Amino acid sequence: MIAPTKPSEQRIGVFVCHCGSNIAGMLDVEAVAEYAETLDNVVFVQRNLYTCSDPGQKEIKEAIKEHKLNRVVVASCTPRIHEPTFRACITETGLNPYLLEMANIREHCSWVHPNEWEGATEKAKVLVKSAVARAANLDKQKEMELPVTQTTLVIGGGIAGIVSALEIADGGNKVYLVEKKATIGGVMAQLYKTYPTMDCST
Amino acid sequence: MMDVSRHPNIELITYAQVENIAGFIGNFTATIRKKTKYVDEKECTACGDCVKVCPVLVPDEFQQGFSSRRAIYIPFPQAVPSSYLIDMDNCLGTNPIACGKCKPACEKKCIDYDSRDEIITIDVGAVVVATGLKPYDPRPLDEYGYTRYENVITSIEFERLNAAGGPTQGHFIRPSDRKEPGSVGFIQCVGSRSKVRGHGYCSNICCMNTIKDSLLLQEHYPGIETSVFYLDIRAFGKGFEELYRKSREQGTKYIRGLPGEIREHHETNNLVLTVENTTTGKIELHEFDMIVLSVGVEPDKDSDKIKSMLSLSRTPDGFFLESHPRLKPVEVPTRGVFMAGFAEGPKDIKDSVCQAGAAASKVSNLLGAGKVRIEAVTSSIDEDLCTMCGRCVRVCPYNAITKSNKKANILPGIIEAACAGCGACGVECDYGAITMRHFTDAQYYSQVEAVLADKPGEKIVVFACNWCSYAGGDLAGTSRMSYPSSPHLIRTMCSARVNMDFVKHALKLGAPIVVVSGCHFSDCHYIDAVKNTQKRVEKLWDELEDLGIRPERVQLEWISAAEGAKFARVMKELELLRKQVTPKEIEETKRILIEAEKKKRGKKAAKKTVST
């Protein structure tokens, strides 16, 4: 375990993404950013047109250096898309990737409350507050690195399985191709001629 | 196909079933049952001597039952591996030997009636799921009379009746009188694009397949009448429109409208169909010698087992759910697993080949990197707090916690490489001895408190698991399904990480409704960790009822990553529930919970004094 940072040493930066008009067109991003400034441990707040873009990421990196940020909150889309992006981004500045937290104010807010300007804005504020609270409690983590077994299992011996197996095997790696029937070929083997070339399938 | 059997890097395991896959990216272990063929496939030369003596005749599946095969057989002449097998369901019997004629007929002595299934265990770094498709069975569409009328066939049967290697050596005849048909009608969208019967989706391949069929007939049997009944012709691929045009030019008629009924003429066995021509708006009757049902396709349901082994999900149409519909079409949420072909969705050969290449490239990248980083979301045990009770060991779905032994003073230990990070153990521990890295109790409490800091009565706290419910929420977002703004999601890797103390804490802070949402049992990303969620919430409901708090205040929901519509619906329903909770009820709940906590603390303190 790596020693956690003491709360008093926390310097959180909040980056509120407009996502073009995907977020900014449905809720008041300015109000969200202003609100973020009032939150505990937050020392820097910035709005970006697209936080995930190169300029957006550059702004994060510069802010980390300039304001000595040790936690980053990005209020944008779902972490299921861009958490890896922003983790890689903050890692470039030497910050541990686990000191990032995201507030999903797009999929879970702007996109689903399009006719609720006030409601969506208030909810975005709360989501940011929640992310900042969690960020304050985040610790550095060390990832474990493991070797990758140099073999592949391909399940299904139809055209897709056959081609995958051949491609991987051509690359020099061992493949186990498992087929439930007594022969490979799948449905394709039953076809007489195939489009668009009108030639035989096997 | 031959390339596969020749390739030095491919080990082909046919007539086999994947029984289990354990492990994680880069380090999977698969258990495979290779069913016995009763014929040594390495020694068999496919000479066919065994077939000559086999007395059993059964319909040949490969030829769609248009011809027969023996109980010892090769699926088709070009089969790979090129070897025979005994179909034990139809063999007269080997124990005791009822016939036994094939064994002495085999000069190479490849046949062994006593051979048994083989269990093979292999270690692999990556898995490609290419479980394929099944043609739609049109029997439920009774109006088309498939199986009742001999001359109504499916498009797969059409293939065999035209194939040079088929039952008629490529001579296209109709089944009832074995005569060349003078007219053939094709009916499109059989089992596709229907919300009532069959499937709602477009099967992608049937339009082009019928166009191809019409061209084949026109080419081989000049003067044959061909008509196609369709809803829309979808000829969107490269070179497709040309083929469609060619088909029309060669005389195939395209009539917009799907027939309502087919009737058979009892003497000629000709077929008369009734159709509303939607271009003219008139009801028409058409007579054909033969009708081909252009059947759609569906995912092979045998892949259900693979689905649960690899924690895959299905989209509502039954195909496997990809990580992202546009950007990650060959990935699935389980790292190290990729998919190709029909398993992911209806596609033709070219697209299957493309996707297979993409999957292979992903695999090669992973293998080429040689190393894989495991996310630091794992458990750790505080030795000072652990009482060696062993409960964590029992709830771990991955057997990632080594057994403790109180007598021998052996503490449980986390095998970090095996821990997948569901967090079920941490919640199970009553002594706070287990910490979940990156998803600590303190982090959850801070989020609950942040959400409920202001106007808690207007908010719904939703604990949503990363893989299913949270992703279902994402899908509702990308699909722009709006719902009220009261629900606030707190992401957790697995719903089994949600401690009921978090839920009670939320109620104590004034939350009108708290929701715990996870994967459906069959979709659980952590094998079966979700069963702990259900158990704990049910226990909490009992506890709340005893305390005089309505159990409805805590909701349990199972929402998959593919159920964006369900997510939005549930959120709307939750808002209705929230409105029923009065401020008075919230205050009363707070009072009850605070009091109960005081009592509990008092008891604990008393216990401590007694023990000291």
Side-chain angles (χ1 to χ4, degrees):
Chain A
M1 286 278 275
I2 309 169
T5 321
K6 282 183 206 152
S8 58
E9 297 164 358
Q10 283 168 0
R11 300 179 63 80
I12 301 176
V14 179
F15 299 85
V16 181
C17 180
H18 287 209
C19 195
S21 61
N22 281 298
I23 296 171
M26 322 267 185
L27 55 87
D28 189 346
V29 279
E30 210 168 311
V32 174
E34 274 170 23
Y35 174 76
E37 284 176 12
T38 67
L39 297 170
D40 286 349
N41 300 313
V42 172
V43 295
F44 179 76
V45 179
Q46 190 173 40
R47 285 182 285 125
N48 319 98
L49 189 55
Y50 292 100
T51 314
C52 63
S53 67
D54 278 349
Q57 291 191 47
K58 206 174 148 210
E59 283 173 343
I60 295 180
K61 283 184 262 186
E62 281 169 2
I64 291 173
K65 280 183 205 147
E66 202 181 320
H67 300 276
K68 296 191 175 60
L69 305 179
N70 56 18
R71 300 283 189 286
V72 170
V73 170
V74 179
S76 58
C77 51
T78 170
R80 291 170 50 86
I81 300 178
H82 276 311
E83 191 177 59
T85 314
F86 294 121
R87 275 188 176 177
C89 166
I90 69 166
T91 309
E92 280 179 43
T93 67
L95 214 56
N96 185 287
Y98 288 81
L99 298 177
L100 167 86
E101 177 59 14
M102 289 180 75
N104 185 348
I105 61 168
R106 192 179 73 173
E107 280 84 347
H108 291 180
C109 193
S110 69
W111 276 352
V112 285
H113 316 307
N115 307 314
E116 256 191 277
W117 182 267
E118 292 289 322
T121 306
E122 285 313 304
K123 180 169 169 179
K125 286 182 189 173
V126 175
L127 292 177
V128 170
K129 185 182 170 79
S130 170
V132 167
R134 180 171 145 84
N137 284 287
L138 288 176
D139 289 322
K140 295 174 192 169
Q141 302 294 345
K142 199 167 179 266
E143 286 184 343
M144 198 177 33
E145 222 174 47
L146 288 173
V148 174
T149 310
Q150 297 294 304
T151 54
T152 306
L153 168 65
V154 175
I155 307 171
I159 179 67
I162 289 174
V163 174
S164 315
L166 285 171
E167 294 279 343
I168 298 163
D170 281 346
N173 289 308
K174 166 117 189 166
V175 178
Y176 298 95
L177 177 58
V178 175
E179 164 60 42
K180 69 176 171 189
K181 296 223 169 106
T183 172
I184 54 168
V187 176
M188 187 198 61
Q190 284 185 302
L191 306 181
Y192 168 45
K193 300 259 162 126
T194 53
Y195 67 84
T197 47
M198 310 296 285
D199 56 2
C200 77
S201 61
T202 44
Chain B
M1 281 166 59
M2 284 306 293
D3 293 347
V4 170
S5 62
R6 275 196 297 261
H7 207 296
N9 287 338
I10 299 180
E11 186 172 329
L12 184 57
I13 309 171
T14 54
Y15 214 42
Q17 218 121 34
V18 180
E19 298 227 308
N20 191 33
I21 301 176
F24 47 91
I25 181 169
N27 300 271
F28 295 102
T29 302
T31 312
I32 292 152
R33 174 181 291 270
K34 183 169 170 43
K35 290 187 282 181
T36 177
K37 294 179 177 176
Y38 301 96
V39 177
D40 186 336
E41 66 180 32
K42 288 195 182 87
E43 290 297 315
C44 175
T45 57
C47 67
D49 287 347
C50 52
V51 174
K52 291 176 196 151
V53 297
C54 179
V56 182
L57 268 181
V58 285
D60 184 338
E61 305 87 348
F62 183 75
Q63 304 291 12
Q64 296 289 303
F66 285 127
S67 64
S68 54
R69 62 161 173 85
R70 302 284 165 172
I72 188 162
Y73 72 109
I74 187 162
F76 54 94
Q78 306 96 319
V80 175
S82 180
S83 111
Y84 280 70
L85 70 148
I86 299 179
D87 158 14
M88 263 313 157
D89 291 339
N90 288 300
C91 175
L92 295 177
T94 55
N95 186 22
I97 294 172
C99 158
K101 283 184 179 160
C102 53
K103 195 170 175 177
C106 179
E107 249 180 61
K108 285 204 77 187
K109 302 200 182 332
C110 306
I111 301 171
D112 175 8
Y113 296 145
D114 298 322
S115 82
R116 292 284 166 266
D117 293 0
E118 210 182 318
I119 302 291
I120 306 166
T121 308
I122 49 174
D123 290 330
V124 294
V127 180
V128 176
V129 178
T131 42
L133 67 126
K134 215 176 82 195
Y136 176 72
D137 178 353
R139 277 176 294 185
L141 304 176
D142 195 51
E143 65 272 31
Y144 291 158
Y146 177 67
T147 65
R148 246 185 312 131
Y149 308 144
E150 272 190 275
N151 294 331
V152 174
I153 62 166
T154 68
S155 37
I156 292 280
E157 289 167 344
F158 178 94
E159 294 292 332
R160 296 323 301 157
L161 285 179
N162 273 281
T168 57
Q169 284 80 47
H171 192 69
F172 188 54
I173 52 171
R174 62 177 202 164
S176 69
D177 51 14
R178 289 160 177 61
K179 282 187 186 144
E180 256 176 41
S183 60
V184 180
F186 291 88
I187 301 177
Q188 295 306 109
C189 295
V190 175
S192 308
R193 300 186 66 195
S194 165
K195 283 192 174 165
V196 192
R197 283 177 306 173
H199 301 288
Y201 53 83
C202 167
S203 291
N204 183 310
I205 54 168
C206 342
C207 282
M208 287 313 297
N209 191 59
T210 290
I211 290 170
K212 173 206 80 184
D213 292 348
S214 74
L215 285 166
L216 282 179
L217 290 181
Q218 291 293 347
E219 195 181 306
H220 290 300
Y221 308 96
I224 193 170
E225 273 178 43
T226 43
S227 304
V228 178
F229 298 88
Y230 69 98
L231 279 176
D232 300 290
I233 290 291
R234 296 184 165 174
F236 49 83
K238 190 177 181 180
F240 290 6
E241 187 65 25
E242 284 90 322
L243 284 185
Y244 176 39
R245 203 175 299 137
K246 199 171 156 194
S247 166
R248 299 190 87 121
E249 280 165 8
Q250 291 194 351
T252 299
K253 283 184 211 137
Y254 284 81
I255 299 146
R256 193 166 176 274
L258 292 184
E261 185 188 38
I262 297 176
R263 283 190 193 183
E264 188 185 47
H265 192 285
H266 66 281
E267 274 170 19
T268 61
N269 293 116
N270 281 358
L271 304 153
V272 177
L273 59 79
T274 317
V275 63
E276 184 197 347
N277 184 331
T278 56
T279 318
T280 59
K282 285 188 181 139
I283 303 289
E284 298 174 3
L285 295 177
H286 293 263
E287 186 172 336
F288 296 101
D289 292 347
M290 206 169 170
I291 284 177
V292 180
L293 302 179
S294 186
V295 289
V297 290
E298 53 196 22
D300 197 329
K301 283 288 177 226
D302 284 355
S303 56
D304 271 352
K305 254 183 136 180
I306 308 287
K307 171 182 167 278
S308 44
M309 277 178 233
L310 292 171
S311 308
L312 308 177
S313 306
R314 292 190 194 276
T315 37
D317 52 20
F319 296 98
F320 288 137
L321 177 74
E322 60 277 59
S323 277
H324 190 279
R326 284 192 318 274
L327 305 173
K328 291 184 174 178
V330 298
E331 288 101 325
V332 298
T334 310
R335 288 176 73 205
V337 179
F338 308 96
M339 55 183 172
F342 251 98
E344 183 262 336
K347 57 177 69 68
D348 64 11
I349 295 174
K350 178 184 168 181
D351 287 351
S352 292
V353 168
C354 289
Q355 204 182 19
S361 145
K362 296 273 174 195
V363 168
S364 301
N365 286 348
L366 170 64
L367 266 48
K371 284 180 290 191
V372 62
R373 279 173 169 271
I374 304 295
E375 240 197 322
V377 182
T378 51
S379 299
S380 63
I381 297 178
D382 185 331
E383 297 181 1
D384 296 336
L385 295 174
C386 177
T387 64
M388 291 171 275
C389 70
R391 275 169 64 186
C392 54
V393 179
R394 288 194 289 275
V395 296
C396 177
Y398 294 89
N399 299 321
I401 310 178
T402 55
K403 268 192 183 157
S404 56
N405 188 331
K406 233 178 194 171
K407 278 182 199 156
N409 202 28
I410 297 171
L411 286 157
I414 309 269
I415 308 163
E416 210 182 320
C419 172
C422 66
C425 55
V427 178
E428 197 67 16
C429 181
D430 274 344
Y431 306 95
I434 300 182
T435 308
M436 187 81 206
R437 291 163 69 200
H438 202 54
F439 283 91
T440 63
D441 285 4
Q443 288 163 1
Y444 284 104
Y445 281 120
S446 72
Q447 283 178 284
V448 170
E449 283 164 15
V451 169
L452 298 170
D454 198 21
K455 299 180 191 154
E458 293 174 11
K459 302 202 175 78
I460 298 166
V461 176
V462 185
F463 294 97
C465 80
N466 179 62
W467 307 102
C468 287
S469 300
Y470 193 93
D474 284 351
L475 183 60
T478 38
S479 316
R480 309 294 202 277
M481 293 163 174
S482 58
Y483 54 82
S485 61
S486 50
H488 291 68
L489 268 64
I490 293 177
R491 185 165 75 121
T492 175
M493 293 314 276
C494 177
S495 59
R497 175 65 189 94
V498 181
N499 195 319
M500 292 307 119
D501 288 344
F502 305 162
V503 178
K504 279 192 271 181
H505 193 63
L507 290 173
K508 209 173 65 192
L509 293 175
I513 301 285
V514 183
V515 187
V516 180
S517 186
C519 308
H520 294 279
F521 272 48
S522 58
D523 291 346
C524 180
H525 202 76
Y526 300 96
I527 305 176
D528 58 357
V530 69
K531 71 177 186 209
N532 294 296
T533 313
Q534 172 148 21
K535 197 180 73 191
R536 287 167 190 157
V537 172
E538 282 172 355
K539 204 175 147 204
L540 177 66
W541 281 336
D542 290 344
E543 191 186 332
L544 293 179
E545 199 154 25
D546 289 347
L547 287 169
I549 299 168
R550 281 195 301 139
E552 294 80 36
R553 302 274 301 282
V554 176
Q555 293 285 317
L556 181 61
E557 288 289 348
W558 311 124
I559 302 172
S560 86
E563 293 175 330
K566 181 179 177 186
F567 183 91
R569 178 172 52 79
V570 168
M571 293 304 125
K572 283 179 194 163
E573 289 166 3
L574 289 170
E575 173 64 0
L576 295 179
L577 280 180
R578 185 194 69 83
K579 283 184 176 156
Q580 290 167 11
V581 185
T582 59
K584 199 178 148 203
E585 186 180 354
I586 292 173
E587 286 311 313
E588 180 63 9
T589 305
K590 281 181 174 175
R591 189 191 59 78
I592 294 172
L593 286 172
I594 291 167
E595 220 160 79
E597 208 168 77
K598 262 189 208 160
K599 230 187 232 173
K600 205 175 166 189
R601 220 179 284 149
K603 258 189 201 166
K604 259 192 188 168
K607 219 177 172 184
K608 241 185 186 171
T609 353
V610 171
S611 63
T612 47

